[in-house]
Amino acid sequence: MPDLAAAQRILRTTFGFEAFRAGQGEIIAAVLDGRDVLAVMPTGSGKSLCYQLPALLRDGVTVVVSPLIALMRNQVAQLCGYGIAAAALNSANDPAENRSVLEGIVRGELRLVYVAPERLVKPETLGLLTRAKVSLLAVDEAHCISQWGHDFRPEYAALGTVQAALGGVQTVAFTATADAATRTDILEKLFPRAPAVFVHGFDRPNLRLAMQAKSSGRRQITDFIKAHHGQSGIVYCASRRKTEELADVLRQSGVNALPYHAGMEAAVRSRHQDTFLQEDGIVVTATVAFGMGIDKPDVRFVLHADMPANIESYYQEIGRAGRDGLPADTLTLYGMGDIRLRRLQIDDGEASNEQKRVDRQRLNALVALCESPRCRRQTLLAYFAEACGPCGNCDFCCDGAEVIDG
């Protein structure tokens, strides 16, 4: 069985890194040891390497379940750049391309295959994989499995049956955002045997956290972005229309801004994403459709032009900044209208009463973070059951709070 020394050689020769990041080594050791694994690691800590590297040290194919086509494209391109035989099966490929991927699986030519959960649960895909030699099932963004996760997807909930159909194949699952209830749900739904569980903290000390009540929305946005002139950043908006309008406003003030949302033509959306990934100084104004798995290390700021959906979405979205470990800036603008809209969305949704109760708690936690009179990082980490002292890198620690006599 391959050991960690073999993994470190591949880390250097194939991926070009001198050493594992914090937490990677012990997770990779557990995977190489044949253990099932559930790992919660902060965004930017190198989760994907924890299944990509073991895939190169064993026979057979590693099947990676991934929720977004953009994410798959990004990772497959990266792996092919390293000279690794990787491909994706998804609806954006033409039929001939998908056929060629399926043939590559049957012939044993591929080391990693990325598959959307909707396609994976199809009988024909599953039938083909049961005949191929699948050595590892890796589930990315595993919080999507849980009904308590902030981004539950019903297709993900069926992955337990996929695991069983593949003969109880070794399974590893990764996420950046899973509180205790979400972790318990993932364990019950995905793993027939107890996995090794790794929870590697939620703190990203290089991110500066700041919140502001909306006063002059557009002026606040343009002032913040001017202070980051020439830097790459993401501005999250609550609506598709706002992404387009804000991109226009920013372009008029000399910022190289591109909109991104699910309603755009696919080719334009892909072009905007590729421009952002490959060029410097691009600002993307986007809905939450942009970002899961976007691996651009030098995003220097994330600005929420509207309040995020809940505290876990907030954590995941700001996590797109500063993946290179260097200082990055975040600012969230919020208003009573935002809070009212989010409450209405929960109340009018089709979720169960129990789910609505959890969603209200998550929203309340985010509102408390926006309005908290103490260190933002202490408030944020307390939600994930972690403690820290005053951080010295948030608006409260740096600027203090404005106090009025009520």
Side-chain angles (χ1 to χ4, degrees):
M1 189 167 281
D3 59 7
L4 210 51
Q8 278 165 324
R9 271 197 305 280
I10 290 201
L11 182 73
R12 277 194 305 277
T13 56
T14 301
F15 293 94
F17 298 118
E18 279 308 306
F20 289 120
R21 292 188 198 173
Q24 283 180 327
E26 57 181 342
I27 292 170
I28 288 171
V31 177
L32 293 177
D33 208 24
R35 299 283 310 272
D36 288 348
V37 167
L38 170 61
V40 183
M41 302 166 79
T43 307
S45 58
K47 292 186 287 294
S48 50
L49 190 83
C50 295
Y51 56 81
Q52 289 171 351
L53 195 154
L56 305 185
L57 284 166
R58 54 179 60 194
D59 294 333
V61 65
T62 290
V63 174
V64 184
V65 184
S66 180
L68 287 182
I69 289 169
L71 186 153
M72 293 186 208
R73 282 178 58 230
N74 195 1
Q75 295 215 350
V76 168
Q78 214 171 33
L79 289 166
C80 292
Y82 290 135
I84 296 165
L89 263 182
N90 60 51
S91 56
N93 296 350
D94 60 49
E97 203 176 339
N98 277 334
R99 210 163 35 248
S100 139
V101 174
L102 293 169
E103 285 164 7
I105 295 170
V106 171
R107 288 198 299 264
E109 294 167 353
L110 295 168
R111 307 310 293 267
L112 292 109
V113 176
Y114 284 74
V115 191
E118 301 85 347
R119 183 170 289 269
L120 182 55
V121 298
K122 284 185 175 173
E124 58 270 30
T125 311
L126 212 45
L128 181 129
L129 289 172
T130 53
R131 296 194 300 278
K133 189 179 177 188
V134 176
S135 57
L136 185 69
L137 177 67
V139 181
D140 206 1
E141 309 294 350
H143 56 270
C144 297
I145 292 171
S146 170
Q147 61 176 329
W148 310 125
H150 67 285
D151 193 17
F152 171 62
R153 305 194 180 196
E155 310 81 28
Y156 258 76
L159 291 179
T161 58
V162 169
Q163 201 265 1
L166 294 174
V169 66
Q170 184 187 1
T171 301
V172 295
F174 297 87
T175 176
T177 39
D179 57 16
T182 303
R183 290 200 296 273
T184 303
D185 209 22
I186 295 169
L187 290 172
E188 286 173 1
K189 292 207 168 104
L190 185 63
F191 295 100
R193 50 195 174 258
V197 178
F198 299 91
V199 180
H200 282 296
F202 290 87
D203 192 13
R204 295 281 310 284
N206 61 316
L207 300 186
R208 183 180 190 274
L209 308 181
M211 308 272 189
Q212 279 177 19
K214 287 181 180 177
S215 51
S216 54
R218 284 201 174 155
R219 167 62 59 81
Q220 287 168 291
I221 292 165
T222 50
D223 286 353
F224 179 85
I225 291 174
K226 274 180 190 161
H228 292 276
H229 178 71
Q231 295 181 345
S232 300
I234 304 171
V235 181
Y236 281 112
C237 307
S239 71
R240 294 173 179 185
R241 193 177 76 187
K242 189 165 180 175
T243 67
E244 305 265 3
E245 291 170 354
L246 202 48
D248 286 341
V249 168
L250 291 173
R251 277 197 296 271
Q252 284 160 23
S253 65
V255 177
N256 195 345
L258 298 171
Y260 184 105
H261 59 76
M264 293 169 77
E265 205 180 300
V268 177
R269 207 168 60 226
S270 290
R271 193 165 66 244
H272 286 188
Q273 178 180 307
D274 291 342
T275 304
F276 176 73
L277 288 172
Q278 291 157 16
E279 296 181 21
D280 293 331
I282 307 291
V283 174
V284 170
T285 58
T287 59
V288 293
F290 183 79
M292 192 189 272
I294 291 295
D295 194 9
K296 183 176 170 70
D298 59 343
V299 175
R300 293 274 67 88
F301 66 86
V302 168
L303 167 61
H304 281 95
D306 303 294
M307 198 176 82
N310 54 51
I311 199 158
E312 282 162 309
S313 299
Y314 166 75
Y315 175 82
Q316 184 127 19
E317 286 149 21
I318 62 169
R320 316 241 150 89
R323 289 183 170 205
D324 53 9
L326 298 174
D329 213 351
T330 76
L331 172 64
T332 298
L333 302 178
Y334 66 97
M336 289 313 293
D338 290 336
I339 299 169
R340 222 175 12 251
L341 175 66
R342 295 299 184 199
R343 291 212 165 112
L344 207 61
Q345 286 171 335
I346 293 169
D347 292 343
D348 292 351
E350 293 179 8
S352 66
N353 288 336
E354 179 62 9
Q355 181 64 54
K356 286 182 179 179
R357 186 184 65 76
V358 172
D359 289 344
R360 284 189 201 102
Q361 283 177 336
R362 290 202 163 121
L363 176 60
N364 291 343
L366 180 62
V367 173
L369 177 62
C370 291
E371 299 181 339
S372 166
R374 68 171 189 152
C375 167
R376 303 278 187 200
R377 194 168 257 96
Q378 282 182 314
T379 308
L380 176 62
L381 292 181
Y383 175 81
F384 292 109
E386 271 185 46
C388 73
C391 72
N393 195 25
C394 72
D395 50 353
F396 272 123
C397 289
C398 296
D399 310 326
E402 192 179 309
V403 179
I404 56 162
D405 182 350

